[in-house]
Each structure stands twice: as C-alpha cells, then as structure tokens.
Amino acid sequence: MFAFQNKRMQQFKERTVAEIVIENIKTADVFKKHGIDFCCGGHVTVAAACKSKGLKVKALEKEIDKSLSRTSRVKNFDSWELDVLIDYIVKIHHSYVTKNVSVLLDYTQKVAEAHGELHPEVIRIKSLTKSLVDELIPHLKKEEHILFPLIKQLMEIKANNEKVSRMGVQSPIHVMQMEHELAGDMIIEIALLSQNFTPPEEACNTFIAMYAKLKEFQDDLFQHIHLENNILFPKAILLEEELSL
C-alpha cells in the first residue's frame, strides 16, 4: 500500500521527502522522528533518505500510513467512572504532552532563529511555547501524584460504603483550574499571533510544521482541559461531598 492514494502511479520511494510533507504536513513528525530533513534537504527521494539513515522504505511507508489513518472515536466521557476517566486522561492527554513538547520547542527555536527578523511574531511564539511547556510539565506531575490519587482514594471509600471527613479535594482542583486558565491564555495568544496557525506564503516546511504542531497541541489541550474542568473535577467535588460525615 502506498502512503498517498492519489499518487498510486508513483511509488512512495521515488517521491521526494518535501513532496510528501507538502501534501500532508502531518508526515513531518515521522520524518523528524527518524532524523530525515524535510525542509532544506527535502529534495531527496524517500529511497535516498532511507538509505542514508539505514531505514527500510516499506517500514517507513507503513509508519506514515498509520500516522495518517488515525481517527478519533466519539466517546461518552460523562458516563465513565472517574478512575477510568483519570486513566484515559493520563494515557492519552498527559502522554501526548510529554511526547510532543520537545518537538514544539525544537520547531519554535529553529523558526525563530531562521525567520525571526522578517516575522518577529515567531520570537514571541517561541517564548510563549517555552512558558507553556514550563507550566504544563509540573502541572501534569501534580495531577498524577497528588490530585488523581486523591480522587481514586475517594472512589475506594465509596466502593467500601464508608464515610470520611473532607479530604480537601477542592483545594488542588482550584489550583489546577487556575493553571488551566493560564495555559489556555498562552495557547490562545499563540493562535492570535499566528493568525490561527496560518503560515506565510513563503514559509518553509519547518515553519509550516511548527504551526501544524501548535494547532494539534492546542486541540489536544482544549480537549484535555474540557475533560478535567467540565467532567472530572465537578464530579470529584460532588463525590467528596457525598462521602463527607
């Protein structure tokens, strides 16, 4: 199977890296993962790029196919038990953040260095991205090591039909909500500076990839915050009230 069905007559290995990234910017992450230059050095064929990195063309093609075929399933999160929702948030959203922050920092740094003079907004975007990462990483740890275990403890107390004095779940939730607001403000400013992640006409592939990744990061962050602020946190507060003596 070829990675791009509208190019059936031309084998994947014969196309240039730049052609593939231009056709679908999401492929940039796969090439970046393997250290393949899709920007200035993107004129080489996939076959040549794979040879230089010791990769098999078919394996790379399958990886790209997989990255492009991922679809989101509609889930009724509101019906989930809180411990199941927590595990999902950690597995999907926390994992996404930790896996992608280094890519974001790399893209924003490179674009700021190469294009900051003509596009000064990317310098501010680089700074905001660094601040966003610095905010999110400890935020995730606080959730995973303090708040989420506390909520799961409440679930265990309920399962045992017990009552307890208030365990103070509202205080860490309030802190998390304030940090969510701060992170949201930063990604919204990035969206405004980038004209909703729209690269300039003359943008190179790295510039385009940066905005595509920032847009993807924003979408994941908004879904992440929604699950916590609108579903998990209110239900955790109600659960604590229900179990209080």
Side-chain angles (χ1 to χ4, degrees), residues 127-221:
S127 175
L128 282 166
T129 301
K130 178 64 165 59
S131 296
L132 179 61
V133 170
D134 289 344
E135 177 70 26
L136 284 175
I137 296 305
H139 173 90
L140 302 186
K141 291 180 179 178
K142 283 184 283 188
E143 287 187 336
E144 291 177 15
H145 297 295
I146 299 173
L147 179 57
F148 290 173
L150 186 58
I151 296 173
K152 287 188 174 184
Q153 189 177 352
L154 289 171
M155 293 283 295
E156 291 178 6
I157 292 169
K158 180 180 180 180
N160 293 330
N161 294 314
E162 298 174 356
K163 295 285 185 177
V164 294
S165 300
R166 287 189 180 273
M167 298 173 64
V169 75
Q170 291 193 41
S171 180
I173 283 177
H174 180 62
V175 172
M176 295 303 101
Q177 288 172 328
M178 289 192 299
E179 292 179 359
H180 284 170
E181 185 174 351
L182 179 59
D185 287 345
M186 285 189 278
I187 198 69
I188 288 170
E189 185 177 349
I190 290 172
L192 290 172
L193 286 166
S194 64
Q195 299 182 56
N196 200 27
F197 311 103
T198 305
E201 291 184 3
E202 75 281 5
C204 66
N205 280 340
T206 302
F207 206 137
I208 297 169
M210 178 188 75
Y211 277 173
K213 178 57 69 176
L214 282 167
K215 174 64 166 60
E216 179 186 275
F217 198 88
Q218 173 198 256
D219 292 345
D220 180 85
L221 183 63

Side-chain angles (χ1 to χ4, degrees), residues 115-125:
H115 305 283
E117 185 173 348
L118 289 178
H119 299 279
E121 69 276 6
V122 300
I123 297 175
R124 174 62 178 161
I125 288 172

Side-chain angles (χ1 to χ4, degrees), residues 14 19 32 59 62 64 80 84 91 118 140 181 199 234 244:
E14 296 172 351
E19 284 176 345
K32 180 174 176 58
K62 287 181 180 179
I64 286 178
W80 291 12
V84 176
K91 180 180 178 181
L118 289 178
L140 302 186
E181 185 174 351
S244 296

Side-chain angles (χ1 to χ4, degrees), residues 40 74 112 126:
C40 299
V74 176
K126 181 196 75 170

